[in-house]
Amino acid sequence: MPLVGGKKGEVIATGSTTTNLHQLVATFYKPSGNRTKILADELNFPSDIYALKSQLALKGYDPEEYLVRVKSPDGRMLRVQDIIDAMTDDIALIVLPAVLYRSGQVLDMERLTAATRERGIPIGFDLCHSIGAVEHALHDWGMDFAFWCTYKHLNGGPGSVAGLFVHEKHFGKAPGLAGWFGSKKETQFDMEHTMDPAMDAGAYQIGTPHVLSLAPVMGALDMFEDAGLNRIRKKSLELTEHIMKLIHVELEGLGFSIGNPVDNSRGGHILLEHAEAARICKALKADGVIPDFRAPNGIRLAPVALYNSFEDVWHTIRKLRVIMDEKRYEKFENKRGVVA
Ligand SMILES: Cc1ncc(COP(=O)(O)O)c(C=O)c1O
């Protein structure tokens, strides 16, 4: 709860990111009259876009027409004012990323949520790249809902149980996708055919949770509590600052550019762009550093504040320098692997 700034009952560990998004859209997308469209952005994560399109199609709306995607001026960042300008009378729901998965830009969730309040449009955010990396005050901002995974900055391990937030003002709203785990705990095992939904975010669970994957998440959350998110964010900003400084010193003139915001509106990762990014990533992996390749030209470097040191960062950039000087990347094809 402290990681997202939710109150007791507003947060639940459940499902996966994409199934939670389906659940929340099925609950909050209520087209009526002229308000029929969903607003997202053109830099949004593909799975979220697929989910939104399929939810539109299920309601009989053509996704190409009814999914509005705010354009990015440079293919990396979004302008908050452009998103606000797109909150027109025909928008029934808004789903945006809190931190953009490629450039790491942190969107101003507070300002965006405030803008929807004036217009009466429900808004939800994908926190996959912000949870555990930046501070949130979802309850105080009045955000309607949010959803996230626990396997990026929270270090829960791939596929670990996800989470969602629903603001208490919506308590009692029936879940769009019902399942017995969304029942009140006192009545779930009465085995009645009429569901008695929980009054809080628990209503949005569907089936039996992935119990084994809860264990590493619990361990990870304990560490976050011990360390404190404000200290983690401080160190994370220092680590990414250090990466950017070293990039300027060590990689100048080698064809790299920085694709993330350089001010404090960056999340927990750096996006290093290069025409040979796919094979530079493979060379880094061969040298023991695990980046993410993000097509077409992005090398995502995500130092983990809990255990990565400034020395790790230095070694990484030095390795990159050697890879470039010795053209070690030429041993690999400039094409991503099955998992980027
Ligand atoms: C921003 C974002 N949204 C959604 C997803 C999809 O998550 P899942 O595979 O857990 O449904 C991911 C996965 O990496 C992601 O990074």
Side-chain angles (χ1 to χ4, degrees):
M1 285 176 296
L3 290 182
V4 296
K7 287 182 33 175
K8 192 166 161 40
E10 289 180 325
V11 175
I12 186 97
T14 187
S16 76
T17 317
T18 312
T19 55
N20 289 347
L21 173 58
H22 272 293
Q23 167 68 293
L24 293 161
V25 177
T27 307
F28 284 91
Y29 175 50
K30 301 275 178 231
S32 89
N34 187 38
R35 274 199 194 279
T36 45
K37 295 184 176 170
I38 299 182
L39 180 66
D41 65 276
E42 68 168 359
L43 302 180
N44 214 311
F45 193 80
S47 194
D48 294 14
I49 296 294
Y50 305 159
L52 296 176
K53 284 187 175 178
S54 70
Q55 289 285 338
L56 282 164
L58 279 170
K59 290 242 168 28
Y61 294 107
D62 175 2
E64 295 315 313
E65 189 184 339
Y66 286 82
L67 179 64
V68 180
R69 275 170 280 182
V70 176
K71 295 226 171 309
S72 156
D74 61 358
R76 296 187 184 100
M77 322 283 180
L78 294 168
R79 272 200 298 249
V80 170
Q81 191 55 49
D82 291 347
I83 303 175
I84 295 176
D85 291 346
M87 296 178 183
T88 45
D89 288 348
D90 50 355
I91 301 296
L93 180 76
I94 304 174
V95 178
L96 295 167
V99 167
L100 273 61
Y101 78 99
R102 289 188 88 258
S103 72
Q105 179 192 7
V106 184
L107 286 186
D108 187 339
M109 291 173 265
E110 183 173 12
R111 185 172 158 214
L112 287 161
T113 304
T116 62
R117 295 290 71 91
E118 293 158 17
R119 295 162 178 80
I121 312 172
I123 187 164
F125 282 85
D126 178 335
L127 309 188
C128 279
H129 291 273
S130 66
I131 191 160
V134 303
E135 286 160 297
H136 306 79
L138 303 191
H139 177 86
D140 290 347
W141 294 337
M143 191 183 290
D144 296 286
F145 63 87
F147 54 98
W148 56 84
C149 66
T150 54
Y151 49 79
K152 299 189 198 304
H153 296 283
L154 289 189
N155 301 299
S160 53
V161 66
L164 61 82
F165 161 91
V166 173
H167 198 281
E168 69 177 4
K169 65 190 169 196
H170 297 298
F171 283 4
K173 207 186 243 312
L177 305 178
W180 74 320
F181 260 75
S183 304
K184 284 191 186 123
K185 285 296 156 243
E186 316 82 71
T187 54
Q188 177 175 347
F189 283 87
D190 288 349
M191 306 311 229
E192 295 295 337
H193 277 193
T194 303
M195 187 183 173
D196 182 19
M199 289 304 287
D200 56 14
Y204 305 96
Q205 294 180 91
I206 300 176
T208 311
H210 315 145
V211 174
L212 292 182
S213 85
L214 281 165
V217 175
M218 284 167 71
L221 292 179
D222 284 347
M223 280 187 241
F224 271 81
E225 202 174 348
D226 280 354
L229 184 61
N230 54 346
R231 289 170 62 215
I232 291 173
R233 172 68 171 153
K234 184 172 173 288
K235 181 174 168 199
S236 162
L237 281 171
E238 287 166 3
L239 284 167
T240 49
E241 177 83 45
H242 195 48
I243 297 185
M244 290 191 290
K245 278 191 189 143
L246 289 172
I247 289 170
H248 288 306
V249 175
E250 297 282 340
L251 304 178
E252 197 66 48
L254 295 174
F256 289 100
S257 57
I258 292 177
N260 52 276
V262 292
D263 61 13
N264 283 5
S265 71
R266 65 183 185 277
H269 68 259
I270 291 293
L271 184 75
L272 191 54
E273 295 176 330
H274 195 283
E276 310 283 349
R279 49 180 170 172
I280 295 173
C281 280
K282 289 180 190 170
L284 266 176
K285 278 187 193 166
D287 219 352
V289 177
I290 314 289
D292 288 304
F293 168 66
R294 285 292 172 264
N297 63 349
I299 302 168
R300 206 168 58 176
L301 298 170
V304 180
L306 280 175
Y307 57 80
N308 279 138
S309 65
F310 292 87
E311 202 181 341
D312 291 336
V313 161
W314 183 76
H315 281 302
T316 300
I317 303 300
R318 275 305 305 164
K319 280 179 185 194
L320 261 175
R321 175 67 196 249
V322 173
I323 287 167
M324 301 312 291
D325 283 350
E326 296 179 5
K327 297 196 186 313
R328 289 193 194 174
Y329 59 88
E330 287 185 351
K331 279 194 286 186
F332 304 93
E333 218 188 336
N334 196 27
K335 213 170 130 215
R336 70 164 170 76
V338 174
V339 178

